[in-house]
Amino acid sequence: MAIAATDTAAAGHPALNGLTVLERGWLSSNNLLVHAQGDEAGAWLIDSGHLAHAPQTVALVQHALRGQPLERVLITHLHTDHCGGNAALQERFGAPIVIPPGQADAVRAWDLTRLGHDDFGQRERFTIAGTIGAGERWRAGGSDWEALPAPGHDPHSLMFLDAANGVLVSADALWANGFGLVFPELVGEAGFGDVAATLDAIERLPVRVVIPGHGAPFTDVAGALQRARSRLAAYVADPPRHARHALKVLLKYHLMEVRTQPLAELLQWAEVAPLVGRLWAGFGRHDSESPRAWSEAMIAELGAGGAVKLRDGVVVDA
Ligand SMILES: [Zn+2]
């Protein structure tokens, strides 16, 4: 579903003039269309949503373009919910796709293991025209944009700043309520320090409106930073808490994609999902005897919190 900016403070904010925020459900990242101004060749699209929503993304972009050509598709990071529409957009519009440099070689070789897509179902191959790295600048929508590093959630992720208008495209580094899973920490690498450094970097930027990877654009940057930092502090104090949250997110995310699944099948999926196995080995083995048992406990917690429903042995996304 596409909704224009709905946050009351951000909706209609003058900084968002010339931009169309396609706010999506949580399975797909938001898409931002930066409309061409003056003699610019065409619009830029930032992030392309989930593969399961690719036809919808193409239709939404087509409508939002209002006849302008699509000049470029720019991706903040290569998680499946941010780049799943790439192949469909490429086929429909022929627009060159540009990504952060960190995983360009993996995309060129289409190495799904290195891309981390084995776990998450991005299977439509796309090609890239080039990369945009941290510190690079370009002009789009009549504004100067700069790519900034945003490690933490994903070591290769970038965020994009239009400093003159105070617009930050934060991807999954900062949401109105928190930030994306800290994936390096889930596989035994450091990541919490990077999250803190990225939040500090955001605080120093001239930001009036944040367009996050998920959820409505928001203007209360200080409040969002405070909420993110308190969540981070809780994870740093208790990393297994982050791991349990991660498993719940992975299960919920899988359910968003399949909508409904018999519990036995869902547990079978969890049992063989590589990241679930690594998570259990790193954080869950003291609490439960297997990835399957740990997943079952987390599904029960998701059910208790209302995020999923369990009916007659079938789990339903709620
Ligand atoms: Zn992400």
Side-chain angles (χ1 to χ4, degrees):
M1 63 227 65
I3 323 157
T6 46
D7 174 75
T8 42
H13 195 287
L16 296 178
N17 284 347
L19 305 176
T20 297
V21 181
L22 299 169
E23 189 191 339
R24 313 290 294 271
W26 279 69
L27 182 65
S28 275
S29 69
N30 294 336
N31 323 118
L32 173 65
L33 203 57
V34 182
H35 295 282
Q37 306 292 336
D39 58 359
E40 291 173 355
W44 286 50
L45 182 74
I46 298 178
D47 285 347
S48 69
H50 190 280
L51 180 63
H53 292 163
Q56 187 188 42
T57 303
V58 169
L60 289 169
V61 169
Q62 168 86 47
H63 179 76
L65 278 169
R66 300 194 294 260
Q68 285 189 342
L70 185 62
E71 187 190 350
R72 210 162 285 276
V73 176
L74 175 59
I75 302 297
T76 57
H77 65 300
L78 288 170
H79 285 163
T80 55
D81 53 332
H82 290 255
C83 67
N86 282 9
L89 288 165
Q90 196 153 46
E91 187 180 323
R92 173 65 187 80
F93 300 103
I97 293 170
V98 176
I99 66 169
Q103 286 179 305
D105 288 345
V107 170
R108 289 190 183 104
W110 203 244
D111 182 337
L112 293 176
T113 304
R114 266 163 74 202
L115 289 169
H117 292 173
D118 277 355
D119 286 304
F120 301 105
Q122 162 65 281
R123 293 282 186 276
E124 296 265 311
R125 185 166 187 168
F126 58 89
T127 56
I128 54 171
T131 62
I132 280 186
E136 285 189 52
R137 293 162 189 270
W138 66 97
R139 228 174 136 71
S143 296
D144 293 314
W145 291 85
E146 182 178 4
L148 301 168
H153 165 68
D154 177 88
H156 307 292
S157 184
L158 297 177
M159 46 192 183
F160 305 130
L161 177 72
D162 164 6
N165 289 299
V167 176
L168 179 71
V169 179
S170 64
D172 295 341
L174 181 67
W175 298 336
N177 280 299
F179 46 83
L181 294 177
V182 188
F183 277 92
E185 292 280 346
L186 303 179
V187 295
E189 290 161 24
F192 292 147
D194 283 337
V195 172
T198 296
L199 295 175
D200 290 349
I202 291 172
E203 190 165 36
R204 292 190 294 268
L205 298 172
V207 181
R208 295 158 71 199
V209 182
V210 174
I211 302 172
H214 301 268
F218 58 89
T219 54
D220 180 15
V221 187
L225 285 169
Q226 192 199 336
R227 288 186 287 278
R229 285 178 173 135
S230 85
R231 181 164 301 196
L232 177 63
Y235 292 157
V236 169
D238 183 7
R241 176 176 166 172
H242 174 245
R244 287 192 300 275
H245 173 67
L247 179 53
K248 283 191 262 190
V249 169
L250 296 177
L251 289 162
K252 168 76 179 169
Y253 198 75
H254 173 75
L255 271 168
M256 273 196 258
E257 192 179 345
V258 300
R259 305 299 303 163
T260 170
Q261 197 167 38
L263 177 61
E265 262 180 46
L266 175 58
L267 292 174
Q268 221 165 1
W269 171 84
E271 210 169 1
V272 297
L275 185 54
V276 176
R278 292 185 76 172
L279 260 184
W280 176 79
F283 300 96
R285 60 195 320 158
H286 305 298
D287 293 344
S288 57
E289 61 185 16
S290 65
R292 184 189 179 94
W294 200 35
S295 299
E296 193 163 8
M298 291 305 117
I299 291 163
E301 284 190 20
L302 284 169
V308 305
K309 287 198 172 68
L310 277 146
R311 273 191 231 121
D312 307 324
V314 174
V315 192
V316 183
D317 184 36

